[in-house]
Amino acid sequence: MSSNSGIQIPSRLPLLCTHDGVLLPGSTMRISVDTARNMQLVKSRLLKGTSLKSTIIGVIPNTRDPEHDSDELPSLHSIGTAGLAVQVVGSNWPKPHYTLLITGLCRFRVTQLLRERPFPVAEVGQLDKLEQYTEGDQADGELGELSLRFHQAAVQLVGMLDMSVPVVAKLRRLLDSLPRETLPDVLASMIRTSNKEKLQVLDAVDLEERFKKALPLLTRQIEGLKLLQKTRKRRPDDDKRVVLILSPRCRQFSLDEEAEDEDGDDTAMLEKKVKAAAMPEAALRVCLKELKRLKKMPQSMPEYALTRNYLEMMVELPWSKSTTDCLDIRAARVLLDNDHYAMEKLKRRVLEYLAVRQLKSTLKGPILCFVGPPGVGKTSVGRSIARTLGREFHRIALGGVCDQSDIRGHRRTYVGSMPGRIINGLKTAGVNNPVFLFDEVDKLGKSLQGDPAAALLEVLDPEQNHSFTDHYLNVPFDLSQVLFIATANTTATIPPALLDRMEVLQVSGYTQEEKVEIAHRLTWRTEGYTREAGVRSLERKIGAICRAVAVKVAEGHKVSRADVFRLKSMCREPTLRNYETYKNKEEDSGIASPPEMPIVIDHIALKDILGPPVFEMEVSERLTLPGVAIGLAWTPMGGEIMFVEASRMEGEGQLTLTGQLGDVMKESAHLAISWLRSNAKTYLLTNGSADPLEGTDIHLHFPAGAVTKDGPSAGVTIVTCLASLLSGRLVRSDVAMTGEITLRGLVLPVGGIKDKVLAAHRANLKRVIVPKRNEKDLEEIPAHVRADLDFVFASTLDEVLKAAFDGGFPAAVSHPQVVSKL
């Protein structure tokens, strides 16, 4: 490829057509490739080539308008530059393209175009015969004089620049080492020139003519510098430096002293911010190192922007900024009571934290996890806690997050890297001790990009989060003063290791009385339209009523001032000031007030606005036949009542189960059948036969068949349902039950007691049968709910059956019934 006599290129070259610059021999240029022919050339020759010869291509200036859209090959300039592709970078944004870094070798002339597709290939003839001078063989005559003058002008130009700039010092060394015949091409590519002027230098095949074309360009640049220096002498207070800037496309030096000076000012200001940020020693050391690199880096380098963004992020983080906690227990209690009705357990835990903080100021923030149905106020409680403490609040939604980089950030080696949500949240909050709310932590995903739940382990561990390291920052950040709060609908999907790091606080649903209080003691009853654990549906129903009244008012319907205020009191900001403002605006506008005729919202208007009740009280209607019982179930949406139905028909003693049941619930059904068959004589279920299922098939159904059901707590309900079917007796219509059973007839404890009891209370049931060992769980139930219900604490199925039927259930041995009213 090369020899002592010069550079030899292949006789056939693939041609790369450019429209945004002219590549000269001896210079390096970045070329963006996005046209079909050029893209195909890169894929076929540069990406698949294995030899050095395959990376040599011909770069031809394109004289056609680049916006001209045509499949035809553009008109080619007759002279081009053979170049060596030293780097190929591909990207898909904003559209697929490649960026090539090409070093010019020598000139060539196109003698014949061999083909146009898929990319042009031409027969070429090399033009430059570059014989290097030796000390005893210098050019003489006019060429030698031109060469000397050009070299002296180049030295003069570089001498007028700031030698403290690394790129200027490098250029000065190049002038002494480069052969003089290469100087016209090298200098023409560096100084500020137009593409037309560079094209003239490219067309100057004769070396003497090339010096003549390039020397005026160099002289013009020197005269411009002299004029600039004279201007500076008239303004001695202006000490702006004159430097050369490297062009992003072709290492083109241009005189842009104002931009460089502004950058110097910005860098100095950035350095002051770094020193004033009160960073830890490790972070400060890294920032100063990056700042030192930034000062030596040209602005055109892609890494310049990345380094600057990193430093700006570092100085914006609240390394030492924090808020002072408000530790007034009485004021905190009043604020929590005003923001949220009920939720005594959560409010008590917050007050405990404040009390401990008064005694120990260095207490690490607790990591709380609120678990409960949607709409019960888990997220709003977190916001109220921040207000109570006087801290900043930041919410991070984790539902559907499946990339660990969302938590830990991206490494700076990636394009478009950024910090994780933790560091970004601290930047947004502006302090290092905010209240962070991780919403829907039970809905984290997992993918090939990692497990975000595992990344949260370090964040939520008080023993580790004092040195949390984000991949983007790559330096530790102290999270120990952050108060972390997580919310979830269930703990079943939270990894055990993550759950172990959090203090779980159950947030159960609201009772009907609590909902009425939350709805500002409305005079109409809403239980026929909403039966959820939270209050979101209640809020929607009240909103529908308010909108209906607003339409009447807008249509000129008569409404009293009292009802206007009452309507506003049901909206999100129920303040007298709003009403007074409304009244004053009405009086100022001269609009007459409506007569004192109220709009009455009674049960008839409620039906017109909301339609017929969605939830009818169907309990008594469903239990009019034997073989029906009411169970209690727990779901992530709260507690629910669940009907169990059974029927019998002639058959071979088989059991059929329907209703989308899980394996555990199917096993409970088989346990119930086995226990009843083994105790059939005791409870008079034989009907003259030793086996109550002889010649009989049993069909057990759980309504709401579209909903999957599973769990052991339906065991007592299945036994009661089958006992009713086989005995022909009706189960009490006001009783519900829950509990796991064993083959020996024992009743075992289950979970979700509070939610299940609240569901029974919402359904207006009067008696609830729960396992004896769950008696302690009733302490969390509101007192007025316990007063409205009779609780039966059963340890055996015999006690369950006696409490589920009026007059008890036949048994050989009588046991005292344990019934308590709390």
Side-chain angles (χ1 to χ4, degrees):
M1 293 298 302
S2 64
S3 65
N4 293 333
S5 60
I7 300 173
Q8 300 297 325
I9 62 173
S11 58
R12 294 186 178 186
L13 285 180
L15 301 183
L16 181 73
C17 302
T18 66
H19 54 74
D20 55 354
V22 178
L23 177 66
L24 294 174
S27 66
T28 301
M29 177 180 176
R30 290 191 181 274
I31 301 176
S32 180
V33 173
D34 55 7
T35 63
R37 285 187 173 88
N38 289 347
M39 292 275 285
Q40 190 63 38
L41 185 151
V42 173
K43 295 176 183 178
S44 302
R45 290 295 298 263
L46 302 184
L47 297 182
K48 295 183 179 180
T50 57
S51 64
L52 181 62
K53 182 181 293 186
S54 63
T55 59
I56 297 179
I57 59 176
V59 180
I60 292 284
N62 181 11
T63 59
R64 178 183 294 183
D65 183 2
E67 300 297 328
H68 182 74
D69 187 12
S70 175
D71 291 336
E72 298 179 0
L73 184 67
S75 57
L76 301 178
H77 197 66
S78 59
I79 296 177
T81 303
L84 180 66
V86 296
Q87 186 183 65
V88 180
V89 179
S91 176
N92 288 323
W93 188 90
K95 63 179 182 178
H97 70 280
Y98 293 100
T99 301
L100 309 182
L101 184 63
I102 300 180
T103 298
L105 300 178
C106 63
R107 289 172 176 78
F108 67 83
R109 186 186 302 276
V110 177
T111 58
Q112 182 182 359
L113 185 64
L114 301 179
R115 71 178 189 194
E116 296 185 6
R117 296 182 180 278
F119 53 87
V121 177
E123 189 84 26
V124 300
Q126 184 171 342
L127 297 178
D128 291 338
K129 306 298 182 182
L130 300 182
E131 302 288 342
Q132 293 190 3
Y133 293 133
T134 63
E135 292 185 359
D137 185 21
Q138 297 291 336
D140 52 6
E142 186 177 1
L143 178 59
E145 183 182 353
L146 285 173
S147 172
L148 180 61
R149 288 172 53 195
F150 194 92
H151 182 266
Q152 292 173 347
V155 172
Q156 180 184 2
L157 175 64
V158 176
M160 299 173 68
L161 305 177
D162 186 359
M163 297 300 295
S164 63
V165 180
V167 71
V168 177
K170 183 178 181 180
L171 177 59
R172 182 65 184 86
R173 293 192 299 269
L174 282 176
L175 290 179
D176 296 333
S177 60
L178 285 176
R180 291 186 179 180
E181 68 269 21
T182 64
L183 291 181
D185 290 331
V186 174
L187 268 297
S189 65
M190 290 182 176
I191 60 178
R192 177 167 293 181
T193 54
S194 64
N195 285 342
K196 183 177 181 181
E197 291 171 335
K198 289 180 182 177
L199 201 60
Q200 292 175 355
V201 176
L202 178 66
D203 290 342
V205 179
D206 182 70
L207 186 56
E208 182 176 337
E209 182 184 359
R210 194 181 311 158
F211 274 111
K212 291 180 180 180
K213 294 288 186 182
L215 185 57
L217 305 178
L218 193 60
T219 304
R220 182 183 64 188
Q221 196 76 67
I222 294 173
E223 293 301 325
L225 262 176
K226 289 180 179 180
L227 181 61
L228 186 61
Q229 289 177 346
K230 290 180 181 179
T231 306
R232 294 291 169 79
K233 289 179 181 179
R234 300 192 197 102
R235 296 183 296 169
D237 56 329
D238 191 351
D239 59 348
K240 294 183 178 180
R241 297 179 302 167
V242 181
V243 296
L244 290 178
I245 300 300
L246 191 63
S247 171
R249 285 200 179 97
C250 58
R251 293 184 181 174
Q252 172 187 348
F253 286 95
S254 64
L255 297 172
D256 197 352
E257 71 289 341
E258 293 183 0
E260 179 66 22
D261 186 71
E262 291 176 0
D263 179 66
D265 293 343
D266 291 344
T267 305
M269 185 177 298
L270 189 58
E271 185 175 3
K272 292 180 180 179
K273 291 181 179 179
V274 168
K275 295 179 179 179
M279 302 179 186
E281 183 179 353
L284 180 60
R285 189 164 52 248
V286 171
C287 284
L288 293 178
K289 181 180 178 181
E290 293 294 326
L291 194 61
K292 186 177 180 180
R293 294 179 60 244
L294 184 70
K295 293 179 179 179
K296 299 179 180 179
M297 199 180 301
Q299 291 187 37
S300 59
M301 290 186 63
E303 196 174 350
Y304 181 90
L306 299 178
T307 304
R308 187 177 183 87
N309 291 340
Y310 172 77
L311 291 172
E312 289 177 350
M313 169 62 71
M314 292 289 282
V315 300
E316 290 176 1
L317 288 178
W319 297 95
S320 57
K321 297 178 183 178
S322 60
T323 55
T324 303
D325 287 348
C326 176
L327 301 178
D328 188 341
I329 302 296
R330 294 182 180 179
R333 188 187 299 274
V334 172
L335 181 59
L336 289 174
D337 289 340
N338 291 339
D339 286 351
H340 295 277
Y341 185 75
M343 293 189 175
E344 297 301 328
K345 186 175 181 180
L346 266 66
K347 291 187 284 189
R348 183 173 65 251
R349 181 64 182 87
V350 175
L351 296 177
E352 291 172 354
Y353 171 72
L354 294 179
V356 177
R357 277 298 307 270
Q358 284 185 350
L359 303 177
K360 186 179 180 181
S361 59
T362 59
L363 180 67
K364 295 181 179 179
I367 299 170
L368 307 177
C369 182
F370 300 156
V371 180
V376 297
K378 301 185 296 295
T379 302
S380 58
V381 167
R383 188 175 286 105
S384 296
I385 291 175
R387 289 180 54 201
T388 302
L389 294 173
R391 294 191 181 189
E392 297 294 330
F393 177 79
H394 185 74
R395 173 180 171 269
I396 299 178
L398 296 180
V401 173
C402 57
D403 188 349
Q404 69 151 353
S405 297
D406 281 354
I407 307 298
R408 287 188 172 274
H410 303 80
R411 300 190 185 277
R412 285 192 291 150
T413 54
Y414 295 104
V415 176
S417 59
M418 63 183 65
R421 296 193 182 188
I422 308 297
I423 296 299
N424 268 327
L426 288 169
K427 175 186 172 184
T428 302
V431 292
N432 61 6
N433 63 338
V435 174
F436 265 22
L437 181 76
F438 291 140
D439 216 358
E440 309 292 355
V441 73
D442 58 325
K443 297 175 179 62
L444 283 169
K446 185 187 296 186
S447 68
L448 296 176
Q449 284 72 37
D451 185 0
L456 278 177
L457 295 179
E458 181 184 1
V459 178
L460 299 181
D461 192 338
E463 301 301 325
Q464 300 181 34
N465 61 13
H466 64 277
S467 59
F468 170 72
T469 302
D470 185 274
H471 286 163
Y472 182 82
L473 300 185
N474 206 27
V475 293
F477 194 99
D478 186 5
L479 300 179
S480 60
Q481 298 305 314
V482 179
L483 176 57
F484 291 104
I485 299 175
T487 68
N489 297 132
T490 177
T491 59
T493 55
I494 301 177
L498 182 60
L499 188 63
D500 180 64
R501 284 163 166 77
M502 300 185 291
E503 179 183 346
V504 178
L505 298 176
Q506 295 289 340
V507 186
S508 301
Y510 294 106
T511 64
Q512 191 66 33
E513 290 77 11
E514 291 170 343
K515 289 185 179 182
V516 172
E517 179 66 24
I518 294 172
H520 304 293
R521 303 184 184 278
L522 298 176
T523 56
W524 55 78
R525 299 179 62 85
T526 57
E527 61 267 20
Y529 296 92
T530 172
R531 195 188 287 174
E532 39 150 22
V535 292
R536 287 178 181 164
S537 292
L538 176 63
E539 182 182 10
R540 297 187 189 104
K541 302 303 180 184
I542 295 174
I545 297 171
C546 295
R547 291 190 296 271
V549 175
V551 171
K552 294 293 184 182
V553 174
E555 291 176 348
H557 193 89
K558 297 176 181 179
V559 61
S560 68
R561 287 188 182 279
D563 283 311
V564 172
F565 172 69
R566 182 181 172 197
L567 177 63
K568 297 182 80 64
S569 70
M570 293 185 291
C571 299
R572 287 190 176 272
E573 297 183 0
T575 60
L576 184 60
R577 182 185 302 173
N578 292 340
Y579 170 64
E580 293 297 335
T581 302
Y582 168 81
K583 181 178 70 173
N584 294 335
K585 289 183 178 180
E586 182 185 45
E587 293 175 353
D588 294 341
S589 62
I591 300 176
S593 300
E596 300 292 330
M597 296 294 292
I599 296 179
V600 179
I601 303 296
D602 54 12
H603 68 282
I604 298 177
L606 200 63
K607 187 174 182 179
D608 291 338
I609 297 172
L610 301 180
V614 179
F615 301 100
E616 298 286 353
M617 291 302 147
E618 55 181 359
V619 175
S620 59
E621 300 176 2
R622 296 284 290 270
L623 274 74
T624 56
L625 294 175
V628 182
I630 303 175
L632 296 173
W634 180 91
T635 70
M637 309 296 289
E640 297 287 346
I641 64 172
M642 176 179 62
F643 291 94
V644 180
E645 300 175 348
S647 63
R648 60 190 301 177
M649 66 287 295
E650 293 184 1
E652 300 177 355
Q654 295 183 355
L655 174 64
T656 302
L657 301 172
T658 56
Q660 283 214 52
L661 308 183
D663 292 338
V664 176
M665 189 170 284
K666 292 178 181 179
E667 292 173 357
S668 297
H670 287 288
L671 278 173
I673 287 288
S674 298
W675 184 84
L676 286 172
R677 294 175 72 178
S678 62
N679 293 275
K681 292 183 179 180
T682 304
Y683 294 100
L684 307 180
L685 303 176
T686 56
N687 293 328
S689 174
D691 187 357
L693 297 186
E694 183 178 351
T696 300
D697 285 347
I698 299 292
H699 187 169
L700 201 62
H701 178 64
F702 294 75
V707 180
T708 303
K709 311 169 190 70
D710 202 3
S713 61
V716 295
T717 312
I718 298 174
V719 169
T720 305
C721 175
L722 293 175
S724 171
L725 177 68
L726 297 177
S727 65
R729 298 183 58 189
L730 295 178
V731 179
R732 288 182 52 164
S733 61
D734 61 347
V735 65
M737 62 201 72
T738 182
E740 183 180 357
I741 63 173
T742 70
L743 198 56
R744 299 301 180 185
L746 299 179
V747 178
L748 303 182
V750 293
I753 291 297
K754 182 178 180 181
D755 290 316
K756 294 176 180 178
V757 170
L758 293 179
H761 187 259
R762 288 195 296 269
N764 291 329
L765 300 175
K766 300 303 180 184
R767 175 175 291 184
V768 178
I769 304 174
V770 297
K772 176 69 175 177
R773 290 165 60 183
N774 283 119
E775 184 176 0
K776 62 182 183 299
D777 297 324
L778 300 186
E779 296 179 0
E780 300 180 359
I781 299 175
H784 67 276
V785 175
R786 288 182 289 175
D788 290 343
L789 296 174
D790 289 335
F791 291 93
V792 177
F793 305 113
S795 57
T796 64
L797 285 174
D798 180 66
E799 297 171 356
V800 172
L801 294 178
K802 286 182 178 297
F805 293 89
D806 285 326
F809 201 74
V813 182
S814 178
H815 297 282
Q817 183 177 352
V818 184
V819 180
S820 300
K821 184 172 183 179
L822 304 180

